[in-house]
Amino acid sequence: RTHDHYDDICDDLGFSVPQVQFSAGMGYALSRRLTIGARYLYRHDRRGNDIARLWGGGPEATLLLSDGNGMVNPFVGGYLLFARGERREDGRALAQGTSVGLQTGVRLMMSQDASWLLQWGFQIDRFPDLVDAPLQSRGATIGMGLRLALR
């Protein structure tokens, strides 16, 4: 595998930090602390990663690590996406892959129904349908988002 860009510790550990990643989700609160739902993700990776682009959707779950009454609420979560992608080497379409992600962060309450999310995570993408060998990548993510609750 050749890299166009050396990323120091990221390359030494064998994972990529994507340049652009967009994710959106919708969930249903089973309790004050546990939410289940669905997530869609699109990623365009400009690093020397074998997977140039990835998109897909699937189930997710999020657990608050507090009672949810404070202004700052830590959380953990995870998702399993059924993904498609594009191989960097030859631009070939990749189908029937998966992306598994774990994330943690804090929810900063602006009001009872709106909050900012600061989060970081790790994801593993795998496309097993190649003849020569499965294609996979590992990535670290950091980001922020907006959460709106509908009643």
Side-chain angles (χ1 to χ4, degrees):
R1 171 172 136 183
T2 59
H3 284 280
D4 301 324
H5 182 274
Y6 184 72
D7 212 6
D8 295 327
I9 193 164
C10 290
D11 279 351
D12 291 341
L13 294 174
F15 64 89
S16 172
V17 177
Q19 296 293 309
V20 177
Q21 181 164 305
F22 170 78
S23 180
M26 185 172 240
Y28 177 76
L30 293 177
S31 71
R32 189 164 182 79
R33 296 181 56 207
L34 179 63
T35 302
I36 60 168
R39 172 148 311 278
Y40 176 81
L41 181 137
Y42 171 82
R43 182 179 74 228
H44 184 90
D45 195 336
R46 295 187 192 126
R47 304 279 188 206
N49 189 335
D50 292 334
I51 301 170
R53 293 187 314 133
L54 178 134
W55 59 93
E60 75 169 339
T62 304
L63 177 68
L64 280 182
L65 299 176
S66 67
D67 62 8
N69 289 326
M71 293 297 292
V72 177
N73 298 289
F75 67 88
V76 295
Y79 54 84
L80 169 64
L81 305 179
F82 301 98
R84 299 178 70 86
E86 181 180 292
R87 186 174 170 164
R88 179 173 312 285
E89 183 178 316
D90 54 12
R92 185 182 125 183
L94 300 169
Q96 299 177 354
T98 57
S99 181
V100 176
L102 299 173
Q103 56 195 20
T104 188
V106 292
R107 193 168 80 180
L108 306 171
M109 302 304 293
M110 296 185 297
S111 72
Q112 186 176 359
D113 297 328
S115 58
W116 287 108
L117 300 174
L118 301 175
Q119 63 189 33
W120 47 98
F122 182 76
Q123 65 191 56
I124 299 173
D125 313 313
R126 183 170 170 81
F127 290 91
D129 66 340
L130 296 179
V131 173
D132 49 354
L135 189 61
Q136 72 177 27
S137 68
R138 296 180 291 174
T141 60
I142 186 168
M144 64 183 293
L146 178 64
R147 178 182 177 274
L148 301 173
L150 304 175
R151 296 181 188 265

